Amino acid sequence: MQHDELMSLKETGQKGDFLLPYVVNKTVMPDYYTTFPMHWHDEMEIVYVEEGEYVECVDFEEYHVIKGDIVLVNPSVLHSFRQFENKRTVFRSIIFNMNLLTGNSTDACSIKYFVPFTENSFISPVVITPDDPHYSRIQERVLNMISVYDEKGDCFEIKLKAEVYGLFYILFKDVFVNEMGDSSIRDITTKNIKIIIDYINENYMKNITIDELAGTVSLSKHYFMRFFKKYMGMTCIEYINDYRLNIASNLLLTTRVHITEVAASIGITNLSYFNRIFKKKFHMTPKEYRYSISNR
């Protein structure tokens, strides 16, 4: 199986499709991941914690989220997550493109609310807890967004859009604040991090050097390493390996491709090295991981 075929298996259905740019995923830690490195995407993401607790990092700030909390990750915002103290955690992630609500229209809703929102003109909370005065109404909408997608009954696409619009009505009316302070320094940092992440996303299957990455943002190698560690919370090599291993774990779960091919597809040709770093992250070898998950 060629690299492109392997990656197409990974990407299938992750963020919906053209007709319905909306998907609900389920994540169980530590079954699937114990960490997911810093990344970003054009879609809005809403996380509902069904069980346990974990640490979510959004726009360089860390949040300890627990059962019942709702996490809002706005489009194009940098974020990551990790397991908290080896605790089992289950959460649902709703991921959708804002085109679901706006299409190509230029009506009052788009002009007054959704376009400014995607341009970060509204300040929104990252975590909504049960203590929030609007929590019960928001939770109801989020749970409906999950159940309607899961059940896919008659005309569910219409019901789905209605629930999403209902959620944003509450958020714009009672939660979001329409003002932005001076964030020029943070904007530059975010831009540089995105450039670096995009380069890794496009080249992780190759041998990426620190000099290459530093060059993408015009920084010296020494300053780049300090910059990366400060804002990403790990070294550059640790991030690249973490990113590669998350892809590898998904391939082990969703395909029967030989482990040697899985390693090669993520840019690692030394199988013993692959086994070593995989075991360090998942506490079992790739072979044991594939067997343990497939037999649950």
Side-chain angles (χ1 to χ4, degrees):
M1 187 175 289
Q2 298 299 310
H3 169 75
D4 289 344
E5 294 176 291
L6 290 172
M7 292 304 98
S8 69
L9 289 171
K10 173 183 180 290
E11 294 296 331
T12 298
Q14 289 301 300
K15 297 173 183 176
D17 54 36
F18 177 76
L19 294 176
L20 185 65
Y22 181 108
V23 69
V24 179
N25 297 320
K26 180 177 181 178
T27 296
V28 181
M29 290 191 285
D31 290 2
Y32 303 157
Y33 308 112
T34 54
T35 64
F36 200 93
M38 193 76 74
H39 63 288
W40 67 283
H41 42 70
D42 294 327
E43 294 79 14
M44 177 82 182
E45 182 171 0
I46 300 172
V47 178
Y48 181 75
V49 185
E50 294 184 337
E51 177 185 335
E53 54 192 300
Y54 73 102
V55 176
E56 180 95 30
C57 180
V58 178
D59 205 13
F60 309 119
E61 295 289 335
E62 288 196 346
Y63 301 86
H64 181 195
V65 293
I66 63 175
K67 180 180 178 179
D69 285 353
I70 297 167
V71 182
L72 304 180
V73 182
N74 293 347
S76 301
V77 171
L78 291 163
H79 57 289
S80 65
F81 64 80
R82 70 174 189 271
Q83 189 180 17
F84 179 75
E85 294 185 350
N86 299 317
K87 295 190 176 181
R88 186 177 189 275
T89 301
V90 180
F91 61 79
R92 304 297 298 272
S93 300
I94 305 169
I95 304 173
F96 58 92
N97 195 296
M98 294 300 292
N99 288 338
L100 178 74
L101 303 178
T102 61
N104 295 316
S105 65
T106 54
D107 62 6
C109 287
S110 293
I111 294 171
K112 291 179 65 175
Y113 306 107
F114 294 117
V115 171
F117 172 73
T118 57
E119 294 176 349
N120 297 317
S121 296
F122 285 89
I123 297 174
S124 65
V126 172
V127 182
I128 298 174
T129 72
D131 293 332
D132 187 286
H134 309 291
Y135 175 83
S136 60
R137 291 189 298 142
I138 294 171
Q139 181 198 38
E140 180 181 10
R141 289 291 181 178
V142 169
L143 292 178
N144 286 347
M145 288 165 63
I146 294 171
S147 63
V148 170
Y149 180 84
D150 285 347
E151 294 165 9
K152 292 184 174 63
D154 293 341
C155 306
F156 83 95
E157 298 91 344
I158 298 174
K159 178 64 173 172
L160 199 59
K161 290 185 77 167
E163 293 296 344
V164 180
Y165 273 119
L167 172 66
F168 273 96
Y169 170 74
I170 299 169
L171 294 176
F172 279 115
K173 181 175 180 293
D174 298 320
V175 180
F176 293 164
V177 178
N178 188 7
E179 66 180 54
M180 291 294 291
D182 181 12
S183 58
S184 57
I185 295 177
R186 181 174 288 264
D187 287 347
I188 293 171
T189 299
T190 299
K191 179 182 177 181
N192 283 341
I193 292 293
K194 286 182 177 180
I195 290 171
I196 296 165
I197 289 175
D198 283 348
Y199 189 86
I200 294 172
N201 290 353
E202 293 168 5
N203 297 279
Y204 68 86
M205 70 296 296
K206 305 173 184 176
N207 180 32
I208 304 174
T209 68
I210 294 176
D211 285 328
E212 283 179 64
L213 289 172
T216 63
V217 287
S218 301
L219 297 177
S220 70
K221 180 178 178 180
H222 177 69
Y223 184 80
F224 170 81
M225 289 189 293
R226 291 174 54 199
F227 170 84
F228 194 97
K229 181 68 181 291
K230 176 180 179 181
Y231 291 104
M232 301 294 279
M234 63 181 74
T235 68
C236 185
I237 300 302
E238 288 171 338
Y239 176 87
I240 293 172
N241 281 342
D242 204 41
Y243 184 86
R244 287 170 167 168
L245 290 174
N246 282 333
I247 293 174
S249 67
N250 192 52
L251 289 173
L252 290 168
L253 288 178
T254 59
T255 76
R256 301 308 301 171
V257 175
H258 193 276
I259 291 172
T260 303
E261 283 190 72
V262 171
S265 74
I266 61 169
I268 299 177
T269 56
N270 186 321
L271 188 58
S272 62
Y273 175 69
F274 174 65
N275 285 332
R276 185 165 68 253
I277 63 173
F278 191 98
K279 187 170 184 178
K280 181 178 179 182
K281 177 177 173 64
F282 293 101
H283 308 294
M284 62 183 79
T285 66
K287 183 177 180 180
E288 292 168 341
Y289 180 86
R290 171 176 273 170
Y291 178 81
S292 66
I293 300 299
S294 62
N295 284 277
R296 289 185 180 181

